[in-house]
């Protein structure tokens, strides 16, 4: 696999966006860990009726697998009005971050998703057309640690739409409630859990779709 062209990943209700090029091992580890975290959260909580409990279980599972939580509390919830598309909202939010590369990475990821019908269909189904979904930028820091930010988003609209990320919502007709968590991977701890991860993955299956940059 040519990892230089990878701009992100879809698995379950999770859309990953890579800031820079990730090593293939980290790309696979991200998919595997979040696969397990999603299933663990689903077993303990309903995504839609207990979204707060679901997210906390999701984060706890990642922490157990070697992803340490840092920064702001995962209990913080903020509400935003969406004017235009959710994709535009995601890019605008990325532009407000300190890392200027994040917006460009999000644009590349969304462009790749837009042109991948199977990935888009899976994301629509897994998220109940945006009712609950997660956007997860991933990057390396100066010490080559793998860092992610998990943004859990709940889209509230009067009528659901296919390809909800790219639908142009009328002014003030859509709102998003957001929770977030910041995590850093301890590769040594993850290595100690690899046998467990392998066993868990053998018990369950979640499709994944690699997203690749569109050639200019």
């Amino acid at each position: 696999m040519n990892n230089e062209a990878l701009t992100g990943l879809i698995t379950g209700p999770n859309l990953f966006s890579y800031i820079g090029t990730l090593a293939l091992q980290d790309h696979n580890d991200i998919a595997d860990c979040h696969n397990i975290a999603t299933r663990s959260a689903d077993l303990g909580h309903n995504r839609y009726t207990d979204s707060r409990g679901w997210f906390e279980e999701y984060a706890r599972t990642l922490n157990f697998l070697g992803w340490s939580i840092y920064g702001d509390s995962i209990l913080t919830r903020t509400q935003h009005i969406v004017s235009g598309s959710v994709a535009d909202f995601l890019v605008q939010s990325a532009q407000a971050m300190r890392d200027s590369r994040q917006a460009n990475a999000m644009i590349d990821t969304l462009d790749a998703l837009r042109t991948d019908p199977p990935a888009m269909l899976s994301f629509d189904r897994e998220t109940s057309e945006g009712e609950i979904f997660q956007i997860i930028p991933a990057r390396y820091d100066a010490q080559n640690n793998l860092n992610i930010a998990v943004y859990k988003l709940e889209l509230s609209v009067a009528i659901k739409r296919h390809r909800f990320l790219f639908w142009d919502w009328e002014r003030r007709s859509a709102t998003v409630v957001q929770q977030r968590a910041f995590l850093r991977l301890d590769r040594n701890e993850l290595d100690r859990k690899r046998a467990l991860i392998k066993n868990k993955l053998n018990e369950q299956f979640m499709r994944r779709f690699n997203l690749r940059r569109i050639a200019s």
Side-chain angles (χ1 to χ4, degrees):
M1 183 191 298
N2 177 15
N3 60 321
E4 292 182 1
L6 286 172
T7 185
L9 169 75
I10 289 277
T11 181
N14 310 306
L15 170 60
F16 297 85
S17 178
Y18 297 161
I19 303 169
T21 301
L22 262 60
L24 284 178
Q25 183 66 65
D26 288 332
H27 166 75
N28 290 324
D29 285 342
I30 276 181
D32 292 344
C33 289
H34 288 265
N35 183 321
I36 293 170
T38 299
R39 294 306 188 200
S40 177
D42 283 341
L43 286 172
H45 305 270
N46 186 288
R47 288 186 201 177
Y48 306 106
T49 61
D50 185 14
S51 64
R52 185 188 294 265
W54 187 95
F55 190 57
E56 291 174 5
E57 178 62 28
Y58 184 93
R60 277 195 297 269
T61 303
L62 288 176
N63 186 252
F64 173 76
L65 295 174
W67 297 84
S68 58
I69 301 172
Y70 67 94
D72 295 351
S73 169
I74 66 172
L75 298 178
T76 302
R77 291 167 62 89
T78 57
Q79 181 169 306
H80 309 269
I81 295 173
V82 177
S83 295
S85 71
V86 176
D88 289 341
F89 168 77
L90 295 175
V91 172
Q92 291 163 7
S93 298
Q95 288 171 336
M97 301 299 174
R98 287 179 294 178
D99 190 338
S100 60
R101 301 174 300 161
Q102 189 160 322
N104 290 334
M106 183 59 64
I107 291 170
D108 286 344
T109 304
L110 292 169
D111 284 347
L113 176 59
R114 191 196 300 264
T115 59
D116 190 332
M120 190 74 258
L121 179 60
S122 175
F123 197 57
D124 275 351
R125 287 175 173 171
E126 285 281 352
T127 64
S128 188
E129 295 176 338
E131 190 169 343
I132 297 287
F133 63 104
Q134 298 195 136
I135 304 297
I136 308 175
R139 64 175 179 83
Y140 295 117
D141 62 22
Q143 290 73 42
N144 202 40
N145 296 308
L146 182 57
N147 291 258
I148 60 173
V150 182
Y151 296 93
K152 185 179 76 64
L153 304 172
E154 303 169 34
L155 178 64
S156 177
V157 293
I159 301 175
K160 292 184 179 182
R161 301 288 186 182
H162 294 304
R163 297 174 62 86
F164 71 91
L165 281 177
F166 304 105
W167 184 264
D168 192 9
W169 302 100
E170 295 180 6
R171 183 171 178 79
R172 307 184 73 85
S173 67
T175 58
V176 164
V177 174
Q178 174 181 287
Q179 279 181 270
R180 64 183 182 180
F182 300 100
L183 302 99
R184 179 179 294 118
L185 178 60
D186 181 338
R187 291 188 178 91
N188 292 329
E189 183 62 26
L190 177 61
D191 286 341
R192 286 191 281 269
K193 300 289 174 57
R194 286 200 182 277
L196 172 64
I197 290 171
K198 182 179 179 180
N199 289 336
K200 288 293 183 182
L201 293 174
N202 287 336
E203 297 171 0
Q204 61 193 41
F205 175 76
M206 183 183 293
R207 294 188 68 189
R208 62 183 66 170
F209 302 84
N210 295 327
L211 301 177
R212 299 183 177 280
R213 291 180 180 85
I214 299 172
S216 57

